[in-house]
Amino acid sequence: MTFYDDIYPFYPLPRTSFIFSTHLLTIILVFLVLTVSFLLILPGIRGKSRLFWMFRIIISFFIGVVIVALNFTSDWAEARTTTNATYKSFSSEEVNAEVGLHVGLYGINITLRGNPVNQLNETINYNEMFEWRDTIDEEYEDALERGLPNPILYIAEKFTLNNPCGLIYQYRYSGRYASATLWTAFCCWMVANVLFSMPVILYAGYMMVATAAFIFFSMASFSTIMNLPTCLFTIGTSGAFQTEYSSSFWLALATGVLCLVIGILVVLLDCLIPEKIREAFSVGVDNDEDEDVYFGEGYLNSNFLASVTTTPLTTLVLPMDEIQKDSHQPSLQELSIAM
């Protein structure tokens, strides 16, 4: 322990390892607030429709947040290995650590965690992000200047433009096309939610099928990197370092299947029982409800109707002076006597 509690003046502070992406946190919070806001209307819905609307809101926003979040995750594919490798350049000291490569649509994350974490009087726990806006050469040069450990620099070098492996071309273009199709799927999801609130449930089902199709297209676009000749490389004493599909890829597959099942069910139910499906979504039932309104019993004066229908209508023309004499209004007693 030093006077500064292990923080030395005039030196960079110890780097904190990556915990959670701020982009993902923002997306989750936004969709969580929207979901809670829509769930607040449930007390105003009566009957069994309340439970249906709850599931509808939760499932719909789950699909939306997954589609958006998949654009910013960094685990579409990953590779891990535990090895003994040289820790720093121009040094023969080795460390035992777990090295990880996490591939996303906009870049890669390279992790290095010591086993144990504290080795060589240093905490070995790194998580470095390299994004390919155009290339990652500038970020790689910055990593060289900061003196990052050798395993991180070795993997990052494989994604530079001048590296013979050419991994940057494979992952960057497949990630761009996958991201574009995911945003198209998000647009289809929004259109489907609008159509679900209108008496066109059939087309809403079609849009859910389109959402699933574009999610599958994004997966197919990312999968092209697995069909190309792989550039095998090793780190330290470990074997081949090769990526495999990870959690984001399988989450995209599950979400696409969910959208496909919902779309097919909506289309089939709209063809078989259109009245029931419209009633479930509370659309197209206003006119029927208005026709069934009951106003209670009424009284019909048959004597009055008979006198009106049987009394002939005659026209009497009188002089103006007689009209003025007869302008006297009869009282209620006179009318009752006349009746």
Side-chain angles (χ1 to χ4, degrees):
M1 297 293 290
T2 65
F3 179 75
Y4 292 97
D5 195 16
D6 288 340
I7 299 177
Y8 303 95
F10 311 113
Y11 285 87
L13 295 176
R15 295 177 58 86
T16 303
S17 60
F18 171 84
I19 299 176
F20 199 77
S21 172
T22 55
H23 295 293
L24 290 178
L25 183 61
T26 303
I27 293 169
I28 293 173
L29 288 178
V30 169
F31 275 88
L32 186 61
V33 170
L34 290 175
T35 304
V36 173
S37 301
F38 275 87
L39 289 176
L40 290 177
I41 68 173
L42 291 180
I45 302 175
R46 295 176 297 177
K48 298 179 180 179
S49 299
R50 182 182 302 172
L51 185 62
F52 171 77
W53 274 85
M54 183 184 68
F55 283 109
R56 176 185 171 184
I57 292 171
I58 294 176
I59 293 175
S60 178
F61 279 105
F62 170 77
I63 294 173
V65 70
V66 168
I67 294 175
V68 177
L70 286 175
N71 285 277
F72 301 98
T73 55
S74 58
D75 52 356
W76 278 73
E78 66 177 7
R80 292 178 180 272
T81 185
T82 302
T83 181
N84 293 318
T86 304
Y87 183 55
K88 293 286 187 178
S89 300
F90 309 106
S91 175
S92 59
E93 294 181 327
E94 293 186 350
V95 294
N96 183 269
E98 180 184 0
V99 184
L101 171 63
H102 310 270
V103 182
L105 302 184
Y106 289 99
I108 58 174
N109 269 87
I110 304 175
T111 59
L112 179 69
R113 182 178 177 84
N115 189 18
V117 176
N118 295 316
Q119 298 183 49
L120 304 178
N121 295 324
E122 187 175 345
T123 301
I124 303 175
N125 190 8
Y126 291 84
N127 190 322
E128 299 294 330
M129 180 71 183
F130 296 88
E131 296 182 353
W132 44 61
R133 298 178 181 89
D134 291 322
T135 64
I136 66 171
D137 288 22
E138 295 181 359
E139 297 187 10
Y140 175 69
E141 293 176 359
D142 180 67
L144 287 174
E145 293 178 357
R146 291 190 285 121
L148 292 181
N150 266 359
I152 297 177
L153 297 175
Y154 177 74
I155 297 175
E157 184 186 7
K158 299 296 181 180
F159 289 86
T160 56
L161 287 176
N162 298 326
N163 193 272
C165 282
L167 296 178
I168 181 66
Y169 300 104
Q170 302 175 16
Y171 285 91
R172 182 177 63 180
Y173 289 113
S174 63
R176 285 181 177 179
Y177 287 121
S179 178
T181 51
L182 276 178
W183 285 117
T184 308
F186 180 71
C187 295
C188 293
W189 170 80
M190 290 193 298
V191 173
N193 280 275
V194 173
L195 294 177
F196 273 126
S197 302
M198 303 171 63
V200 283
I201 304 299
L202 179 63
Y203 297 101
Y206 289 155
M207 292 308 299
M208 290 301 295
V209 174
T211 302
F214 281 108
I215 294 176
F216 293 147
F217 290 156
S218 67
M219 296 173 57
S221 175
F222 187 81
S223 298
T224 55
I225 60 176
M226 299 299 180
N227 299 328
L228 298 175
T230 57
C231 179
L232 299 178
F233 54 91
T234 59
I235 300 176
T237 59
S238 67
F241 197 71
Q242 188 173 358
T243 58
E244 297 178 352
Y245 294 127
S246 187
S247 55
S248 291
F249 184 87
W250 302 119
L251 181 59
L253 177 62
T255 307
V257 171
L258 177 62
C259 294
L260 183 62
V261 170
I262 293 175
I264 293 176
L265 283 178
V266 169
V267 172
L268 291 178
L269 292 176
D270 187 80
C271 294
L272 298 176
I273 46 174
E275 294 82 7
K276 295 292 185 180
I277 192 68
R278 283 172 175 78
E279 182 180 356
F281 284 92
S282 302
V283 294
V285 297
D286 295 338
N287 295 332
D288 298 336
E289 292 179 355
D290 293 340
E291 293 176 359
D292 296 336
V293 174
Y294 179 67
F295 294 99
E297 297 181 357
Y299 176 74
L300 183 63
N301 192 341
S302 58
N303 296 328
F304 175 76
L305 292 177
S307 62
V308 170
T309 55
T310 57
T311 303
L313 296 177
T314 58
T315 303
L316 179 61
V317 180
L318 297 175
M320 292 298 297
D321 54 352
E322 295 184 4
I323 295 176
Q324 294 177 355
K325 294 179 180 179
D326 297 338
S327 60
H328 172 67
Q329 297 292 334
S331 62
L332 295 176
Q333 295 179 354
E334 295 175 350
L335 288 176
S336 61
I337 295 173
M339 293 294 291

